[in-house]
Amino acid sequence: MNTVTLIDNRTGKKYDFDILSSTLGPDVIDVRKLYTSIGMFTYDPGFTSTASCSSTITYIDGDKGELRYRGYDITDLATKKSYLDVCYLLLNEKLPTKTQLTAFDNELRKRSFIHEGLKGLFNAFPDRAHPMAMMSSAVSALSTFYYEHLNVANKEEALVMAHRIIAKIPTLAAFTYRRSLGIPYIYPDIERSFTENFLYMMRAYPGENLEIRDVEIRALDTIFTLHADHEQNASTSTVRSVASTGAHPYAAISAGINALWGRAHGGANESVIAQLEIIADVKNVDAFIARAKDSNDEFRLMGFGHRVYKNFDPRAIILKKLLDSLKDELGIDDNLLKVARRIEEIALNDPYFIERKLYPNIDFYTGLILTALKIPKSMFTIIFVIGRSVGWITQWIELQNDTEMKITRPRQRYIGEKNKIL
Ligand code: ACO
């Protein structure tokens, strides 16, 4: 076993720590015995240098702009496979055969219905409730209908739970939208595939045999694929953290939804379009870029920058190509597109953005496509939830089988008052 040696300059004492190898990416220093051997903690706010677990699901190389699910490159998956192929891959560690895919698709169709009682929950929300707030409540409420999933005994039971949640989340998502408008809920149509069904439940009126265009299904399916997993990001770490306490899996996913809602994470896609609408015209772009660069101004260019990607976000590249190829067919808002392109052009050539390695991230482009799909801004992060649900549940399953799993319990550097006397 290779080791690294840490020398305490105060005492001259040396301590060896094992290096654990990774199949891709940096190896890790095993510091689990650090506190018991040295009596000190590591200090790493935001976990910029900390691997919180071992995982076989997703690999990211932020410098190369590489993203892989179960070893497969994201560009290959997004351009040659469907979102359901990707779900199957994440859950089963291999791509499905045609027969397996059909069986998986059929099972999800059958499991997409929700308990009638859940309608009461939606009806109780105020008219102006944000869809993300309704979504996290509804997923948490699912635990009251499927309490038996608190104890999942084996892989088969875990997969039933996973299929259930992946299938029901689009239905709940469409219900949040319809509730916010006060229009009748539309039940899933068993004749329609996963992505088509979601658009149908969003748009149709009762009894209407609404046709959804292939180009729209393809675009949204790609967005779901690109969101399917992203290793230990804030929402996934939240899911794992809550799951580590033995809480109900639906409660863990509900917590992940809440973590995703924030503007620095999944909430960014909503802010990107809001910002483009405020900028409104290419002639205003320079002024906003100047604000983004001003250290005295809290304004940030939404959809730019990423904690891990320091070269480019491969998901953004795929979406940019998709946007370019489908913009006429989809009917992308030309004015917003011009503003976005101007921002991109300036930022990619400006030393402020270059030095800080700030590139467009996935959220910079999703909003433009989602707007063309007639999905309102308030639903953008919900789209992220639908795509990411498979990642969260796959990470949850991995955690259950991790023999090194422990309850998440970081320590701290205490810098408060000491020995105060009453
Ligand atoms: N616009 C302007 N300046 C920025 C931006 C931005 N979007 N992002 C980072 N910076 C600057 C910071 O001000 C900082 O500058 P300084 O070194 O002069 O102080 C430097 O770049 C580093 O920024 P940090 O906040 O330290 O970087 P971190 O890795 O912690 O944050 C984050 C990454 C949260 C994504 C950040 O870039 C950001 O807020 N971006 C906008 C929000 C966004 O698009 N989020 C979506 C991320 S993708 C996703 O979750 C799916």
Side-chain angles (χ1 to χ4, degrees):
M1 173 79 72
N2 288 324
T3 58
V4 287
T5 303
L6 194 145
I7 305 171
D8 185 341
N9 287 331
R10 297 167 306 176
T11 59
K13 272 193 177 168
K14 290 183 180 174
Y15 303 90
D16 288 333
F17 294 97
D18 291 343
I19 296 175
L20 308 179
S21 62
S22 307
T23 48
L24 282 174
D27 292 338
V28 301
I29 304 169
D30 185 351
V31 293
R32 281 175 291 185
K33 300 232 166 67
L34 185 96
Y35 178 61
T36 48
S37 57
I38 303 189
M40 282 193 279
F41 300 133
T42 54
Y43 181 60
D44 187 16
F47 310 122
T48 54
S49 297
T50 298
S52 62
C53 61
S54 300
S55 181
T56 63
I57 304 168
T58 292
Y59 172 71
I60 302 174
D61 184 325
D63 294 322
K64 285 196 202 146
E66 194 178 323
L67 168 61
R68 292 179 181 278
Y69 299 156
R70 300 283 189 199
Y72 290 102
D73 186 79
I74 189 65
T75 309
D76 286 339
L77 291 171
T79 52
K80 296 179 190 148
K81 294 287 169 188
S82 70
Y83 175 65
L84 285 198
D85 280 309
V86 166
C87 289
Y88 189 99
L89 168 69
L90 288 169
L91 288 169
N92 299 284
E93 302 173 39
K94 57 180 185 333
L95 282 163
T97 61
K98 237 177 167 178
T99 317
Q100 286 167 331
L101 184 64
T102 306
F104 182 54
D105 184 7
N106 286 337
E107 193 189 337
L108 293 193
R109 289 178 198 221
K110 285 187 196 136
R111 291 192 187 280
S112 61
F113 295 85
I114 56 174
H115 194 287
E116 284 290 301
L118 269 168
K119 276 202 217 161
L121 178 77
F122 281 99
N123 291 338
F125 292 126
D127 287 347
R128 299 185 63 181
H130 194 285
M132 283 294 280
M134 290 193 256
M135 193 68 194
S136 70
S137 309
V139 171
S140 186
L142 276 185
S143 65
T144 64
F145 297 93
Y146 301 106
Y147 192 70
E148 71 275 16
H149 287 326
L150 181 60
N151 295 307
V152 172
N154 51 44
K155 178 89 193 205
E156 284 64 42
E157 281 185 27
L159 282 179
V160 169
M161 196 256 292
H163 296 164
R164 202 166 252 161
I165 199 148
I166 295 164
K168 289 184 192 325
I169 275 191
T171 312
L172 294 175
F175 270 47
T176 67
Y177 173 66
R178 303 198 71 101
R179 171 64 193 90
S180 66
L181 294 183
I183 54 177
Y185 303 119
I186 297 292
Y187 289 16
D189 177 353
I190 208 148
E191 297 298 321
R192 299 180 192 249
S193 66
F194 185 90
T195 302
E196 180 188 358
N197 210 355
F198 171 67
L199 285 170
Y200 162 77
M201 288 188 284
M202 286 280 291
R203 293 180 186 169
Y205 273 82
E208 184 186 17
N209 186 20
L210 187 77
E211 198 186 316
I212 311 286
R213 290 187 301 148
D214 275 351
V215 63
E216 298 183 300
I217 299 169
R218 214 168 355 122
L220 187 58
D221 204 75
T222 307
I223 290 179
F224 287 155
T225 292
L226 298 178
H227 282 122
D229 195 52
H230 214 229
E231 54 119 300
Q232 308 312 316
N233 56 82
S235 54
T236 302
S237 297
T238 302
V239 169
R240 279 189 178 254
S241 215
V242 175
S244 78
T245 69
H248 197 283
Y250 294 170
I253 289 177
S254 168
I257 292 171
N258 284 321
L260 187 75
W261 193 3
R263 237 163 32 113
H265 194 11
N269 53 15
E270 192 176 335
S271 310
V272 171
I273 283 288
Q275 206 168 76
L276 292 178
E277 284 169 354
I278 291 169
I279 299 174
D281 196 300
V282 280
K283 72 176 179 345
N284 301 327
V285 169
D286 287 347
F288 280 91
I289 295 272
R291 285 191 63 192
K293 289 158 56 176
D294 182 354
S295 57
N296 296 315
D297 191 332
E298 284 186 356
F299 178 86
R300 281 193 169 197
L301 211 48
M302 300 312 287
F304 267 75
H306 196 274
R307 170 60 64 76
V308 181
Y309 294 118
K310 297 299 177 194
N311 191 337
F312 61 87
D313 179 341
R315 303 166 302 171
I317 305 277
I318 296 164
L319 278 189
K320 188 172 154 51
K321 281 193 188 142
L322 187 78
L323 189 69
D324 287 341
S325 66
L326 299 183
K327 81 178 166 44
D328 295 331
E329 257 185 289
L330 278 177
I332 303 280
D333 182 322
D334 210 33
N335 188 49
L336 288 189
L337 187 59
K338 274 188 199 146
V339 174
R341 287 201 167 135
R342 182 72 188 133
I343 292 175
E344 200 186 338
E345 189 187 320
I346 298 181
L348 291 179
N349 292 295
D350 187 304
Y352 173 93
F353 293 89
I354 295 169
E355 280 158 20
R356 289 169 181 74
K357 301 181 188 259
L358 302 171
Y359 296 90
N361 59 50
I362 184 171
D363 292 325
F364 191 67
Y365 302 106
T366 41
L368 287 165
I369 299 176
L370 295 177
T371 304
L373 294 177
K374 298 176 203 69
I375 292 171
K377 280 199 287 290
S378 61
M379 287 294 290
F380 285 6
T381 316
I382 292 280
I383 299 297
F384 200 147
V385 169
I386 298 175
R388 184 56 57 85
S389 59
V390 66
W392 287 328
I393 204 70
T394 307
Q395 300 265 354
W396 184 90
I397 294 171
E398 186 174 72
L399 182 81
Q400 305 308 309
N401 298 314
D402 186 346
T403 52
E404 298 187 333
M405 170 202 154
K406 274 176 148 356
I407 182 170
T408 303
R409 195 355 181 147
R411 300 304 302 269
Q412 63 171 12
R413 171 180 169 234
Y414 178 72
I415 53 169
E417 299 279 358
K418 52 183 177 182
N419 303 335
K420 280 191 138 183
I421 296 168
L422 269 178

